[in-house]
């Protein structure tokens, strides 16, 4: 098995994210995804709406920016490109050119993704993992999955997707350890200003403490 530079395989699939000290957000009874931004109107997608779109299965590893990789995962959901072509493009005014997509979760986390990265063939809006519905640790009710990018791109507990014609305001613009704007794992784009090889030793030492803080996902 070949992993991206600086990654180490771990057993299971640890819970990850910026809120490890808090439980996952509760799943709404009737969750919807709001689709908005630079569109002619804002719409909502229910689980039933997503179910009408073509389903896709994807076998892919998951790579955390902290240096661990969960391998052999099997995701199921809707291809983001299919969602974009069928539900978003019809809502674009003539001449509108989308460049960035903002994904926001029920826990308040958000990721900003270049449209060209979001439209990659392996990017899913996923609702199942290893044959079962997503649980709270791994992003219920639905989440973004972008295997070619570090995990900080793959927003969990998805509640809103916003489309922009330019880069949205960046609160981390001057943060020396800000996440890379693309986060491509095979290019080791961990941080915006720090080379990946520089932070590898630091992250390697954090893998065990992160595991201790994480709610370990069940894959058995």
């Amino acid at each position: 098995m070949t992993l991206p530079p600086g990654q180490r395989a771990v057993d299971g699939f640890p819970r990850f994210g910026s809120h490890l000290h808090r439980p996952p957000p509760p799943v709404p009874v009737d969750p919807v995804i709001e689709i908005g931004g630079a569109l002619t109107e804002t719409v909502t997608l229910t689980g039933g709406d997503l179910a009408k779109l073509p389903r896709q299965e994807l076998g892919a590893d998951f790579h955390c920016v902290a240096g661990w990789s969960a391998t052999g995962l099997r995701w199921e959901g809707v291809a983001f490109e299919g969602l974009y072509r069928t539900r978003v493009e019809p809502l674009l005014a003539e001449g509108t050119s989308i460049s960035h997509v903002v994904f926001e979760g029920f826990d308040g986390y958000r990721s900003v993704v270049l449209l060209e990265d979001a439209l990659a063939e392996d990017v899913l809006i996923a609702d199942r993992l290893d044959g079962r519905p997503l649980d709270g640790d791994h992003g219920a009710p639905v989440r973004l999955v972008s295997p070619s990018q570090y995990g900080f791109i793959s927003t969990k507990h998805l509640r809103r997707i916003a489309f922009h014609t330019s880069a949205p305001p960046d609160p981390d613009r001057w943060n020396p350890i800000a996440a890379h704007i693309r986060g491509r794992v095979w290019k080791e784009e961990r941080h915006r200003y720090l080379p990946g090889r520089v932070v590898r030793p630091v992250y390697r030492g954090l893998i065990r403490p992160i595991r201790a803080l994480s709610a370990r996902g069940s894959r058995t």
Side-chain angles (χ1 to χ4, degrees):
M1 176 180 59
T2 302
L3 292 174
Q7 296 298 114
R8 288 189 174 183
V10 296
D11 293 330
F13 186 7
R15 182 185 176 205
F16 74 96
S18 58
H19 307 299
L20 292 181
H21 60 293
R22 298 202 299 266
V27 176
V29 175
D30 296 306
V32 299
I33 301 175
E34 180 182 294
I35 307 293
L39 310 178
T40 55
E41 62 178 298
T42 297
V43 298
T44 57
L45 293 178
T46 66
D49 294 327
L50 288 174
K52 296 175 184 177
L53 297 173
R55 300 281 298 177
Q56 181 174 326
E57 293 189 13
L58 175 69
D61 300 337
F62 183 95
H63 308 292
C64 181
V65 72
W68 57 261
S69 295
T71 60
L73 303 176
R74 182 165 55 88
W75 301 97
E76 297 174 52
V78 172
F80 178 80
E81 182 181 15
L83 174 66
Y84 182 78
R85 302 300 182 198
T86 59
R87 297 303 180 99
V88 177
E89 283 191 333
L91 299 177
L92 296 177
E94 184 177 355
T96 299
S97 179
I98 298 299
S99 61
H100 294 73
V101 189
V102 178
F103 297 88
E104 182 180 337
F106 283 106
D107 57 358
Y109 183 81
R110 64 196 291 269
S111 61
V112 180
V113 187
L114 294 181
L115 180 64
E116 63 183 281
D117 290 336
L119 293 178
E121 63 180 9
D122 61 353
V123 176
L124 294 184
I125 302 298
D127 58 8
R128 296 179 68 85
L129 171 62
D130 289 342
R132 295 185 292 271
L134 291 177
D135 61 18
D137 285 348
H138 296 307
V142 296
R143 62 169 298 162
L144 180 69
V145 174
S146 181
S148 298
Q149 297 174 287
Y150 287 112
F152 62 77
I153 294 293
S154 294
T155 298
K156 300 189 290 186
H157 320 294
L158 197 58
R159 66 171 295 271
R160 188 170 193 269
I161 306 174
F163 296 87
H164 295 257
T165 57
S166 60
D170 182 4
D172 290 330
R173 181 179 180 185
W174 304 114
N175 183 348
I177 59 171
H180 197 280
I181 59 173
R182 302 193 73 176
R184 293 171 293 184
V185 297
W186 289 99
K187 293 181 178 291
E188 204 171 356
E189 295 172 335
R190 300 179 192 271
H191 294 284
R192 214 171 298 180
Y193 309 115
L194 295 174
R197 64 182 182 277
V198 172
V199 297
R200 278 189 208 173
V202 176
Y203 281 143
R204 190 169 295 130
L206 291 175
I207 291 177
R208 182 167 294 182
I210 288 174
R211 289 300 302 264
L213 290 172
S214 299
R216 182 174 177 175
S218 173
R219 298 178 56 200
T220 60

